[in-house]
Each structure stands twice: as structure tokens, then as C-alpha cells.
Amino acid sequence: MSRPGLTFSHVGFFVHDIARMEDFYTRLLDFTVTDRGQLSGPKGPMDLVFLSRDPDEHHQIVLISGRPQEIPFNVINQVSLKADSLGTLKAMLRRLQAEGVAGIAPVTHGNALSVYAPDPEGNRLELYIDLPWYVSQPLRVPVDLALSDEQIMATAEAHARSLPGFQPRAQWRAEMARRMGLA
């Protein structure tokens, strides 16, 4: 169930080194290049690389050359990718660590387990799984994903139960559906 009319589809962002970014997203995060080409831009031609992990989506990420050098900070807060399991999340963490990616941060948000890591140009990536409960946000606490799945889930649930707003995800979802006029 979702609101009719619009669904979120993809994101595009400007990059400095399109080849390096393409390599990172295809090799480490298993995106596939679906298309590439060039368009005219205000400062000359722009190269575009279209990436997807879903054969039903032509692209989920578009990399576009021409990111200005003079931006004083990274304007992308984060790009989030939902993992299909805790096992996948842990495997992606190990893959990023093996690649030598600096600044990796596994955390719990109470209602999700996340791994944050920068891509080669400093865009923050979040790889995450939802947990079967909800807690009030924002919340960010380090978590040890080297523990067994059972230990991680037991620790995450015990922590979440101690936080404001704890409730089963289904209960939270029903309330959001009501507030969105979908119930």
C-alpha cells in the first residue's frame, strides 16, 4: 500500500571522477551499467552513467560528470540501499572493509540496523535493514555486527524496548497509513 500518483524511483548526482564512481558502484555494490552517454550541459558536455540492481528499473542511480570543485561541503546527505537480510548487510560490511573503505560505521537506529560508509567522492552511503519494531527518531548508536545474528537481534531488541516510542513495526505502519489517508 502506498500513496497513489507518485513513487520514488531513482537519484542522480554529479561526480568528479565518473570512472572511479562507476567502478565502486558496480564492483562493490553490484550495480549494473544499463546505459551511458553524453548530454550538453551549461558548462559543456556531461557524461552520464545509468546504474541499476533491478531489471524492472532502467536506472536507480545516475552518475553525471561535472561536479564543481568549489563546493565547500558535500550536499548529498546520504544515499540509502535496503539490504534483504542481516546476512547481506554483514557481507556488505565485510566487502567494504576488505576494500579498505575508511570511515565505516555500523549503527542501530532502534528501528533499523545500518552500515554507513563513504563512496570514493565522500557521498555517504547507508546500507540497512529494517527491524520488526519502531522507536522514536532520530537515534544513532554504534552496533557490533561481528556478533552472531542471534546476539545482534537480541541486543538490538533489548535496547529498542528501553527507548521512547517502542512498538511493533506493524502498529507504527498502521498509524502512518491512517495519517497518510490510506487506511
Side-chain angles (χ1 to χ4, degrees), residues 39 59 61 75 77 87 98 116 118 124-125 127 131 142:
L39 289 175
H59 57 279
I61 294 178
V75 297
N77 178 279
Y116 287 92
R124 184 170 61 164
L125 300 175
L127 311 176
L131 293 171

Side-chain angles (χ1 to χ4, degrees), residues 1 16 69 79 81-82 93 130 140 143-144 157 164 171:
M1 172 188 343
H16 296 294
Q69 295 292 333
V79 176
L81 302 169
K82 190 173 187 176
L93 171 61
D130 284 327
R140 182 179 168 133
V143 65
D144 184 0
E157 182 174 4
Q171 182 179 338

Side-chain angles (χ1 to χ4, degrees), residues 93 96-97 101-109 113-118 124-127 140-143 145:
L93 171 61
L96 292 165
Q97 289 169 330
V101 174
I104 299 171
V107 302
T108 180
H109 294 295
L113 295 173
S114 300
V115 172
Y116 287 92
R124 184 170 61 164
L125 300 175
E126 176 193 25
L127 311 176
R140 182 179 168 133
V141 176
V143 65
L145 293 184

Side-chain angles (χ1 to χ4, degrees), residues 86 131 133 148-161:
L86 178 55
L131 293 171
W133 48 81
S148 72
D149 292 4
E150 295 76 20
Q151 290 172 307
I152 292 168
M153 293 302 288
T155 302
E157 182 174 4
H159 177 249
R161 285 185 178 277

